[in-house]
Amino acid sequence: HTAAFLRNARLQSEDLLLASWGERTFEPAFSVAWDRSQRWLVVAIRGTVDWRAVLTDAAAHTAPVCGGSTHEGMLRAAHAVLDRSLPVLREALRMEPDFELVFTGHSMGAGTAVLAALLLREGELQEPEDTPPALRRPLAFGIGTPPLLSPELAEASAAWAVSVERGVDFI
Protein backbone atom coordinates (compact mmCIF):
# COMPACT_ATOMS: atom_id res chain seq x y z
CA HIS A 1 0.00 0.00 0.00
CA THR A 2 2.71 2.47 0.93
CA ALA A 3 4.63 2.28 -2.35
CA ALA A 4 1.44 2.73 -4.38
CA PHE A 5 0.35 5.65 -2.20
CA LEU A 6 3.70 7.40 -2.53
CA ARG A 7 3.77 6.87 -6.29
CA ASN A 8 0.17 8.05 -6.86
CA ALA A 9 0.52 11.03 -4.52
CA ARG A 10 3.93 11.87 -6.00
CA LEU A 11 5.49 11.97 -2.55
CA GLN A 12 8.90 11.07 -1.23
CA SER A 13 8.99 8.46 1.53
CA GLU A 14 10.15 11.07 4.07
CA ASP A 15 6.94 13.05 3.42
CA LEU A 16 4.74 10.20 4.68
CA LEU A 17 4.67 10.57 8.47
CA LEU A 18 2.03 7.98 9.36
CA ALA A 19 0.10 5.37 7.43
CA SER A 20 -2.62 3.18 8.87
CA TRP A 21 -3.74 0.98 5.98
CA GLY A 22 -5.62 -1.56 8.10
CA GLU A 23 -9.30 -0.96 8.63
CA ARG A 24 -11.75 -1.98 11.31
CA THR A 25 -15.24 -0.81 12.14
CA PHE A 26 -14.97 2.81 13.38
CA GLU A 27 -11.25 2.81 12.49
CA PRO A 28 -10.79 3.89 8.88
CA ALA A 29 -7.56 3.66 6.94
CA PHE A 30 -5.75 7.01 6.82
CA SER A 31 -2.41 8.66 6.25
CA VAL A 32 -0.57 11.78 7.38
CA ALA A 33 1.76 13.38 4.86
CA TRP A 34 3.37 16.68 3.98
CA ASP A 35 2.27 18.58 0.88
CA ARG A 36 5.24 20.93 0.83
CA SER A 37 4.12 22.73 -2.35
CA GLN A 38 0.93 23.87 -0.58
CA ARG A 39 2.57 24.16 2.88
CA TRP A 40 0.01 21.69 4.24
CA LEU A 41 0.12 18.75 6.60
CA VAL A 42 -2.58 16.49 5.17
CA VAL A 43 -4.61 13.81 6.92
CA ALA A 44 -6.25 11.75 4.16
CA ILE A 45 -9.01 9.38 5.28
CA ARG A 46 -10.22 6.55 3.07
CA GLY A 47 -13.92 6.11 2.42
CA THR A 48 -16.02 2.99 2.35
CA VAL A 49 -14.13 0.07 0.78
CA ASP A 50 -15.12 -3.11 2.62
CA TRP A 51 -17.73 -4.46 5.01
CA ARG A 52 -16.04 -3.02 8.10
CA ALA A 53 -16.46 0.46 6.69
CA VAL A 54 -20.08 -0.31 5.78
CA LEU A 55 -20.69 -1.02 9.48
CA THR A 56 -19.29 2.43 10.31
CA ASP A 57 -21.62 3.94 7.69
CA ALA A 58 -24.58 2.00 9.09
CA ALA A 59 -24.04 3.23 12.66
CA ALA A 60 -26.11 6.29 11.78
CA HIS A 61 -27.59 7.04 15.18
CA THR A 62 -27.51 10.70 16.14
CA ALA A 63 -24.69 11.67 18.51
CA PRO A 64 -24.10 15.00 20.25
CA VAL A 65 -21.05 16.99 19.19
CA CYS A 66 -19.97 20.61 19.72
CA GLY A 67 -23.45 21.86 20.61
CA GLY A 68 -25.14 20.09 17.70
CA SER A 69 -25.53 16.56 16.40
CA THR A 70 -23.93 14.24 13.88
CA HIS A 71 -23.58 10.67 12.59
CA GLU A 72 -22.38 8.47 15.47
CA GLY A 73 -20.32 6.05 13.35
CA MET A 74 -18.33 8.80 11.64
CA LEU A 75 -17.84 10.62 14.94
CA ARG A 76 -16.36 7.45 16.42
CA ALA A 77 -14.15 7.15 13.33
CA ALA A 78 -12.97 10.77 13.74
CA HIS A 79 -12.02 10.08 17.36
CA ALA A 80 -10.11 6.96 16.28
CA VAL A 81 -8.15 8.88 13.62
CA LEU A 82 -7.32 11.66 16.07
CA ASP A 83 -6.33 9.22 18.82
CA ARG A 84 -3.75 7.66 16.47
CA SER A 85 -2.58 10.81 14.67
CA LEU A 86 -2.49 13.62 17.25
CA PRO A 87 1.02 12.91 18.57
CA VAL A 88 2.37 12.93 15.00
CA LEU A 89 0.38 16.06 14.07
CA ARG A 90 1.59 17.96 17.14
CA GLU A 91 5.23 17.12 16.54
CA ALA A 92 5.10 17.79 12.80
CA LEU A 93 3.41 21.17 13.22
CA ARG A 94 5.92 22.16 15.88
CA MET A 95 8.66 21.48 13.31
CA GLU A 96 6.82 23.42 10.58
CA PRO A 97 4.76 26.11 12.38
CA ASP A 98 3.93 27.96 9.13
CA PHE A 99 2.12 24.95 7.63
CA GLU A 100 -1.66 24.49 7.76
CA LEU A 101 -3.43 21.29 8.81
CA VAL A 102 -5.84 19.85 6.24
CA PHE A 103 -8.21 16.89 6.60
CA THR A 104 -9.58 15.27 3.46
CA GLY A 105 -11.44 12.18 2.33
CA HIS A 106 -14.13 10.67 0.16
CA SER A 107 -17.61 9.64 1.28
CA MET A 108 -17.28 8.20 4.80
CA GLY A 109 -13.70 9.47 4.84
CA ALA A 110 -14.93 12.98 4.00
CA GLY A 111 -17.47 12.91 6.83
CA THR A 112 -14.79 11.67 9.20
CA ALA A 113 -12.43 14.41 7.99
CA VAL A 114 -15.01 17.15 8.63
CA LEU A 115 -15.70 15.80 12.11
CA ALA A 116 -12.01 15.50 13.01
CA ALA A 117 -11.48 19.13 11.96
CA LEU A 118 -14.58 20.18 13.92
CA LEU A 119 -13.38 18.44 17.08
CA LEU A 120 -10.03 20.24 16.91
CA ARG A 121 -11.56 23.63 16.01
CA GLU A 122 -14.13 23.51 18.79
CA GLY A 123 -11.66 22.40 21.45
CA GLU A 124 -13.48 19.14 22.13
CA LEU A 125 -10.14 17.45 22.74
CA GLN A 126 -7.87 18.47 25.58
CA GLU A 127 -4.79 20.01 24.04
CA PRO A 128 -1.67 21.20 25.86
CA GLU A 129 -1.02 24.95 26.00
CA ASP A 130 1.93 24.64 23.63
CA THR A 131 -0.27 23.19 20.89
CA PRO A 132 0.74 24.49 17.45
CA PRO A 133 -1.80 27.07 16.22
CA ALA A 134 -2.54 25.11 13.02
CA LEU A 135 -3.91 22.28 15.18
CA ARG A 136 -6.66 24.63 16.39
CA ARG A 137 -7.73 25.81 12.91
CA PRO A 138 -7.70 22.87 10.49
CA LEU A 139 -9.41 22.95 7.12
CA ALA A 140 -11.49 20.12 5.65
CA PHE A 141 -11.98 19.19 2.00
CA GLY A 142 -14.45 16.44 1.20
CA ILE A 143 -15.45 14.61 -1.95
CA GLY A 144 -18.97 13.22 -1.71
CA THR A 145 -19.33 14.26 1.93
CA PRO A 146 -22.53 12.84 3.41
CA PRO A 147 -24.98 15.27 5.07
CA LEU A 148 -23.87 14.56 8.63
CA LEU A 149 -24.04 17.83 10.58
CA SER A 150 -27.05 19.38 12.24
CA PRO A 151 -28.05 22.69 10.57
CA GLU A 152 -26.28 24.95 13.08
CA LEU A 153 -23.01 23.00 12.77
CA ALA A 154 -23.25 22.90 8.98
CA GLU A 155 -23.68 26.68 8.89
CA ALA A 156 -20.77 27.25 11.29
CA SER A 157 -18.46 24.96 9.31
CA ALA A 158 -19.02 26.71 5.97
CA ALA A 159 -15.97 28.95 6.47
CA TRP A 160 -13.50 26.07 6.77
CA ALA A 161 -15.11 22.94 5.28
CA VAL A 162 -15.55 22.49 1.53
CA SER A 163 -17.36 19.59 -0.11
CA VAL A 164 -17.73 18.75 -3.77
CA GLU A 165 -20.13 16.32 -5.38
CA ARG A 166 -20.55 15.06 -8.91
CA GLY A 167 -23.79 13.37 -9.69
CA VAL A 168 -25.20 11.12 -7.00
CA ASP A 169 -23.10 9.49 -4.27
CA PHE A 170 -25.24 6.81 -2.66
CA ILE A 171 -23.04 6.22 0.38
Side-chain angles (χ1 to χ4, degrees):
H1 293 299
T2 300
F5 177 80
L6 291 171
R7 184 176 55 253
N8 289 330
R10 297 187 180 123
L11 295 174
Q12 301 299 312
S13 59
E14 60 270 12
D15 290 330
L16 182 61
L17 304 182
L18 176 64
S20 177
W21 304 128
E23 186 167 26
R24 298 192 327 210
T25 303
F26 309 120
E27 296 179 17
F30 72 95
S31 63
V32 177
W34 294 115
D35 180 341
R36 296 191 185 279
S37 66
Q38 295 293 325
R39 301 185 64 75
W40 289 350
L41 179 60
V42 179
V43 180
I45 305 168
R46 188 169 69 193
T48 306
V49 172
D50 68 13
W51 65 271
R52 289 172 286 257
V54 171
L55 294 176
T56 301
D57 284 325
H61 301 290
T62 301
V65 65
C66 302
S69 58
T70 193
H71 183 286
E72 179 187 14
M74 290 184 210
L75 180 60
R76 289 175 65 180
H79 278 287
V81 168
L82 290 172
D83 286 348
R84 296 253 349 256
S85 65
L86 268 174
V88 171
L89 299 177
R90 270 191 216 102
E91 183 60 30
L93 291 168
R94 282 187 185 119
M95 291 175 13
E96 296 285 2
D98 295 334
F99 278 57
E100 294 298 325
L101 177 59
V102 173
F103 286 87
T104 190
H106 169 256
S107 190
M108 181 199 71
T112 302
V114 167
L115 289 170
L118 176 70
L119 291 169
L120 290 174
R121 280 184 160 269
E122 296 298 318
E124 289 285 313
L125 305 171
Q126 294 295 328
E127 288 297 312
E129 287 186 26
D130 67 338
T131 296
L135 206 55
R136 299 179 196 271
R137 60 170 193 264
L139 304 173
F141 296 102
I143 301 167
T145 310
L148 68 138
L149 298 176
S150 55
E152 65 280 3
L153 289 179
E155 181 71 29
S157 69
W160 52 265
V162 176
S163 180
V164 295
E165 322 294 326
R166 183 167 190 268
V168 177
D169 187 341
F170 291 103
I171 295 184

